[in-house]
Each structure stands twice: as structure tokens, then as C-alpha cells.
Amino acid sequence: MKDLTKGSPSKVMISFAIPVALGNIFQLCYSLADTRVVGSTLGEAALAAVGATTSISTLFIGFLSGLTNGFALLIARQFGAGDKKGVTRYGAGCLLLGCITSVLLTFICVSSLPFILRLLNVPEALMGQSTAYIRAVLLGLLATMLYNGCASILRAVGDTKRPLLFLIISGVINALLNLFLVIQFHLDVAGVGIATVISQLISCILVLRCL
């Protein structure tokens, strides 16, 4: 925890903001690593299949991230007021609501995936690969939410460095797993999705332990 009311305001704001900005950049590395591996090893059809479903993962991950960031505002206010019980209460509420929402979204999306893909006009030729990739990503929504939720709680109490460290670790693991699962185990685009979920799960475990 870090008291952001002490010290030079400009230095405090910069030291707080830089890890957050770098974290946003590293989160983009997940999709960049997936795109790079798929494009280099699986060909154009697989790359098109992954690209056709990017809007789905972006929508739901962004929604869950916004949900947890909303709670972070309340947590930061209670932390600034010295209300530790309030911090705990809102933190628990953030994770509870996030878990319920992510499980519901996963169930609804996975069960209606063919309909969603047709709604996005995904070509029939790409339907199999698109389904395999996005299903794996959607099944990992809970782990993604838990990381974002716990990271937002840490940021709310002034700690932006450890969430960034965990994100860098999981990003490196994601890139290595992409290569390992696709090249060594020949799991095609499903392997890329599984690699993303495993790396998100690792970052989730790290940040939960820290929290």
C-alpha cells in the first residue's frame, strides 16, 4: 500500500501512472503474440479465424475490466478515509460480483457461440477454427476477471508496480506457451487460446496470493 497524499503531487502521479500505462501496453501483447504465432505457423485461414473473434473477447474482457475498475474508485475512497473495513467490504463485493458476472457471461456465450459467430458474419469455412479459439478464451473469463479485479484493488490502494510485474510474467509465459502448444503439440488455434487462458490463470494466482 502507498499513501498517495504524501510527497510531491507530480512525482506521485507519474510514479502511479507509468506502471498503469505500461500494463495497458503489455495487455495488448497477449493478442499480438497470438496473432504472430498463428500467422507464422498456422497460415492465413487460422489467422482470419482468430481475427474474426477478436471483437468478442475484447467486448467481454473490457466489460469485466470496467466493472472492477468501478469498484476501485469506491475502494480508493475508503482507503483514503482510513476505513479498512470499507476497503475489505468493497473489495469482496468487487470479486463476488465479478465472479458471478463472468460465470454467467461464459455460460451464455459458450452455449450460444454458433449464433454469435453467425451474427458476426464469420464465414462457414472459418467457423470450426473460430469456435475452437474463442471457446477457449471464453472459458478463461473467470481467471481474467480475477486478475483484473485483484489488480484494480491493488491499484486502488496505491500499488501499481506488482500488477505490472505479474502481467509481464504472464505475457512472457503466454508467448512461450503459444509456441509450445502449437508447434510441439499441434493444437492449432485452440492451443493459442489455451495458452492465453493458462497465462491469465498464472497472473490470477500471483495477484490473489499478493492480495
Side-chain angles (χ1 to χ4, degrees):
M1 298 184 191
K2 183 178 180 180
D3 190 347
L4 300 179
T5 64
K6 296 179 180 179
S8 169
S10 59
K11 290 182 179 179
V12 169
M13 290 176 67
I14 290 172
S15 65
F16 179 87
I18 287 177
V20 175
L22 290 175
N24 290 333
I25 293 172
F26 272 100
Q27 280 196 317
L28 293 175
C29 291
Y30 276 96
S31 58
L32 289 175
D34 291 354
T35 302
R36 176 64 177 173
V37 171
V38 171
S40 300
T41 60
L42 300 178
E44 295 178 359
L47 183 60
V50 171
T53 59
T54 300
S55 57
I56 300 175
S57 58
T58 301
L59 172 64
F60 293 118
I61 292 173
F63 173 76
L64 292 172
S65 178
L67 178 70
T68 55
N69 284 334
F71 270 97
L73 298 174
L74 300 173
I75 294 168
R77 185 181 65 184
Q78 299 307 115
F79 178 69
D83 182 5
K84 292 184 179 180
K85 289 184 178 179
V87 170
T88 303
R89 184 171 65 252
Y90 284 122
C94 170
L95 297 181
L96 179 60
L97 181 59
C99 285
I100 293 172
T101 305
S102 59
V103 169
L104 285 175
L105 283 175
T106 299
F107 175 76
I108 293 170
C109 292
V110 171
S111 60
S112 59
L113 202 50
F115 170 76
I116 294 174
L117 293 178
R118 289 190 180 91
L119 200 63
L120 293 174
N121 293 320
V122 175
E124 201 64 36
L126 302 178
M127 195 65 72
Q129 289 181 311
S130 294
T131 300
Y133 173 75
I134 197 60
R135 182 188 287 122
V137 172
L138 289 172
L139 289 173
L141 272 183
L142 179 59
T144 303
M145 186 287 306
L146 283 172
Y147 167 76
N148 286 329
C150 293
S152 68
I153 293 171
L154 288 175
R155 294 186 190 109
V157 297
D159 185 353
T160 57
K161 293 180 181 178
R162 281 185 289 187
L164 172 62
L165 175 61
F166 301 149
L167 193 61
I168 292 173
I169 292 172
S170 65
V172 172
I173 291 172
N174 177 56
L176 294 175
L177 279 176
N178 274 333
L179 295 171
F180 186 69
L181 293 177
V182 172
I183 296 175
Q184 191 70 24
F185 283 91
H186 309 289
L187 291 181
D188 205 56
V189 292
V192 178
I194 292 169
T196 299
V197 172
I198 292 174
S199 58
Q200 287 279 20
L201 185 60
I202 290 171
S203 66
C204 167
I205 293 171
L206 291 172
V207 77
L208 273 173
R209 185 176 180 276
C210 173
L211 195 62

